[in-house]
Amino acid sequence: MINLLGNAVKFTLENGRIHLNVRLLKTVGKVCTLQFDVTDTGIGIKPEEHSRLFRPFEQADSSTVRKFGGTGLGLAISKRIIEMMGGKIWFESELGKGSTFSFTITAEICDDYMGVEISDDEPECDGDGKVDDLGDYRLLIAEDMEINREVLAALLEPTNISIEYAENGAEAVRMVTESMEKNCFDIVLMDIQMPEMDGHEATKEIRKFNKEIPIIAVSANAFVEDVETSIQAGMNEHLGKPLDIDKVLNVLRKYCSGNRLALKGVQNND
């Protein structure tokens, strides 16, 4: 959903319109089928490009990358996730008049859904109402699950942050070590459960030679004792799985900022 809305914003001119519609198609027992439609008045897609759109690393036009950026992974990943959730995705588009991307998913109705608290707070963004541009920063994602890496990359694509990947803790240690002279990475998202070397051990190794780089724990275990263990290992903060993209963005805002040198100075005095 975030990727589809992000594309709608990216390819719609300043005076254009974007509309999101969600409707319940059917309910069978405790399982419901929902349909989402994202409609924009953007640039549209040429008919001859329709068949390529959901292929990895493909975009509708080569000029799209030059003008709007992007890896061409977002729609392919979205299609994969939607199909894993028992749904399908499709679109209708007319060049110069806009597009409508639609998808369905099946979901189980939670017994206590009426107790969900809805927040009126709007997502944080910069003063112009745009997504943060983190194009000057480099992120290392240490995560052994490919689908998790792909999903996170797609969610962060609108920020333009540069991303590299480590598939285990030992590889993360090596990559941070080798990048020391070039000051390559600004922040690390470190999964806890990984083969060869887990996130805690990897962080301890990194802290032997780099006490400044922010390392954020990522784990499905988010009890108080889990957070304390991460902090004791040398991590700066702890994010629970499944990841909340707003919390991830808040962490990136906190550590990927113009006052990194000041932050490092404080850490060096600890």
Side-chain angles (χ1 to χ4, degrees):
M1 172 57 71
I2 293 177
N3 178 260
L4 296 182
L5 287 172
N7 283 347
V9 172
K10 182 189 298 185
F11 298 117
T12 300
L13 300 179
E14 185 175 350
N15 294 324
R17 298 187 308 277
I18 298 169
H19 179 73
L20 168 64
N21 183 63
V22 183
R23 56 193 173 115
L24 176 65
L25 296 183
K26 66 178 180 179
T27 302
V28 179
K30 293 182 62 176
V31 177
C32 63
T33 301
L34 301 172
Q35 178 171 324
F36 297 77
D37 302 295
V38 179
T39 301
D40 65 63
T41 59
I43 61 176
I45 304 166
K46 298 177 182 178
E48 60 268 27
E49 304 293 349
H50 286 195
S51 62
R52 301 172 47 197
L53 210 59
F54 292 107
R55 298 176 189 172
F57 302 106
E58 294 272 8
Q59 292 192 329
D61 192 310
S62 59
S63 62
T64 299
V65 178
R66 294 192 298 270
K67 185 174 182 180
F68 297 101
T71 63
L73 272 173
L75 287 176
I77 294 172
S78 296
K79 182 175 184 291
R80 182 174 176 182
I81 294 173
I82 289 166
E83 290 176 347
M84 290 173 65
M85 297 180 70
K88 61 179 181 179
I89 183 171
W90 67 96
F91 71 95
E92 297 177 357
S93 183
E94 186 174 351
L95 187 63
K97 293 187 177 181
S99 307
T100 295
F101 280 80
S102 303
F103 68 92
T104 60
I105 61 168
T106 57
E108 184 174 348
I109 301 173
C110 180
D111 290 334
D112 59 351
Y113 75 98
M114 291 299 290
V116 175
E117 182 176 337
I118 306 298
S119 173
D120 293 329
D121 296 335
E122 296 184 358
E124 293 185 35
C125 54
D126 63 27
D128 297 325
K130 299 178 181 179
V131 176
D132 305 66
D133 187 349
L134 302 175
D136 293 332
Y137 299 91
R138 299 180 68 90
L139 165 67
L140 174 62
I141 297 177
E143 166 64 64
D144 61 309
M145 297 294 291
E146 180 181 5
I147 184 63
N148 291 343
R149 296 195 299 268
E150 292 177 349
V151 169
L152 188 53
L155 292 174
L156 292 177
E157 183 175 339
T159 70
N160 297 318
I161 193 168
S162 297
I163 303 175
E164 294 189 36
Y165 307 94
E167 297 185 11
N168 56 66
E171 187 175 3
V173 174
R174 177 186 60 78
M175 293 177 70
V176 174
T177 304
E178 293 177 351
S179 71
M180 282 289 289
E181 293 183 1
K182 299 179 182 179
N183 194 26
C184 184
F185 298 112
D186 296 288
I187 188 169
V188 179
L189 293 183
M190 182 80 75
D191 186 42
I192 299 300
Q193 301 293 334
M194 290 187 292
E196 295 193 37
M197 181 184 291
D198 66 27
H200 290 146
E201 290 303 315
T203 299
K204 291 176 182 177
E205 289 298 313
I206 292 173
R207 289 302 184 220
K208 291 179 181 179
F209 58 85
N210 189 328
K211 299 186 183 302
E212 300 174 351
I213 186 170
I215 302 177
I216 311 302
V218 179
S219 174
N221 300 321
F223 293 107
V224 174
E225 55 268 29
D226 298 309
V227 177
E228 291 177 349
T229 301
S230 296
I231 301 302
Q232 291 171 2
M235 295 174 163
N236 297 74
E237 296 192 28
H238 187 109
L239 292 175
K241 287 184 176 181
L243 286 173
D244 182 326
I245 187 59
D246 288 331
K247 292 182 179 179
V248 175
L249 290 174
N250 284 337
V251 165
L252 294 179
R253 291 185 190 104
K254 180 177 180 179
Y255 294 102
C256 294
S257 61
N259 63 353
R260 279 181 298 163
L261 294 178
L263 175 64
K264 291 180 179 181
V266 171
Q267 291 176 332
N268 286 335
N269 292 330
D270 287 344

